[in-house]
Amino acid sequence: MNICILYGGRSGEHEISLRSAASVVRNLDPSRYAVVAIGIDKAGRWHLQEELHLLETAGQGGILSIAPASKPVFIVPSDGIHTPAGRLAVDCVFPVLHGSFGEDGTVQGLLEIARLPYVGAGVPGSAISIDKESAKRLWRDAGLPIVDFQSVDRSSSAKELREAAARIGWPVFVKPCSAGSSLGASRVNDERELDAAIAHALRYDTRALLERCVDAREIECAVIGNSRPRAFPPGEIVPSRAHGFYDYDAKYTDKDGASLEAAARVDDAVRKRIMRAAESAYAAVRCEGMARVDFFLGRRTGELFVNEINTIPGFTSISMFPRMCEASGLPYAQLLDTLIELALTRDAEKKTVRYEE
């Protein structure tokens, strides 16, 4: 079976994608799969890789580099991916693209037009999940607990910004509505810090989200499946005191930025509550294939809040999503097999849908 790995991309998580793609390629069973690699550079150009260039990097598990290609790669509606030499033999696409132009439904829509099966959430699930405000509204409507939030945009006046923050109460977290990996996120302790935080968030999106700060542990839960999601026991992120919360630097820059525990230290009742909530959150935003659902768990109160959902979570050698699956008995290679099977099953089911009388 020919698996096309799409990796790189235009988002601020380009380099993380190179690391995730390297791990995916290394863990695909070579007796079952042949890899067709297409790297997307930071300008959005697609490059078909004649060879796989796996480069080792100290302590980061290596990257799948992108070699510039002289021949263009293009989508032909209803006929897959082409080069000037003709159609590429691709049975399933595995997008390993984090953040904007990867998790937001744009690539997924392109693959739908090309009539190619692909791993992960479809267009609606991807677009809803990356939009934090839309996801939170759906979770709230589904009866799932979320922290208080307000949204603002680039047209909001200074008065409107302060009123939004006042409705929540200090301190607040400010983040872009549609961006990944905590890009543009910051904690705001009082009104004096608000303008700078909003301006920072609005560098990465046209809208920003203000959220009530809660004294909580950061819990993550892996979920796979299409119409019947299956959650795995949760893990926990423990940011170092130097960071305070799991920001971009803690994730990717500072090797001591956080401790990643594949099995969260919670009792059985809390564990089951988190897993049920993860499955419900996944279903509410119409997710398919896979996702990592992130929670806050109150330190003193034990309250559980759904925070975010990531439809293409990190797949690096140290990423939480594959580690949580592996800790529950689903090794990395088998996880990839399962995700590809889910993609093909969904594609076969969609082919039964009629679009005309």
Side-chain angles (χ1 to χ4, degrees), residues 41 80 88 121 164 176 178-179 204 209 214 216 222 253 256 259 313 315:
D41 65 25
L88 294 179
S178 299
Y204 300 97
L209 206 66
V214 292
T253 305
D256 299 315
S259 170
F315 269 88

Side-chain angles (χ1 to χ4, degrees), residues 132-269:
K132 298 176 180 65
E133 180 183 5
S134 297
K136 287 177 185 294
R137 291 186 184 280
L138 286 173
W139 290 332
R140 185 172 61 193
D141 289 349
L144 291 164
I146 58 171
V147 298
D148 296 336
F149 73 92
Q150 296 285 315
S151 62
V152 299
D153 60 34
R154 290 178 177 177
S155 70
S156 299
S157 66
K159 180 174 180 286
E160 288 170 331
L161 298 180
R162 279 150 183 74
E163 288 175 347
R167 282 192 288 270
I168 298 172
W170 306 103
V172 300
F173 274 102
V174 176
K175 60 181 74 171
C177 273
S178 299
S181 280
S182 302
L183 282 169
S186 51
R187 175 182 167 126
V188 180
N189 294 303
D190 54 47
E191 190 173 299
R192 293 171 298 178
E193 301 173 356
L194 183 62
D195 288 345
I198 295 287
H200 183 52
L202 292 177
R203 290 178 58 198
Y204 300 97
D205 193 12
T206 58
R207 294 175 299 132
L209 206 66
L210 284 70
E211 294 178 336
R212 176 168 64 90
C213 179
V214 292
D215 180 20
R217 298 162 64 184
E218 298 190 43
I219 305 295
E220 299 187 342
C221 193
V223 185
I224 63 172
N226 291 338
S227 59
R228 296 184 178 274
R230 169 195 173 191
F232 292 82
E236 182 170 4
I237 304 295
V238 185
S240 68
R241 291 185 178 181
H243 291 275
F245 73 100
Y246 199 37
D247 61 7
Y248 186 89
D249 288 339
K251 288 180 181 181
Y252 303 124
T253 305
D254 183 357
K255 65 181 179 63
D256 299 315
S259 170
L260 311 181
E261 299 180 3
R265 299 177 187 179
V266 294
D267 63 37
D268 192 53

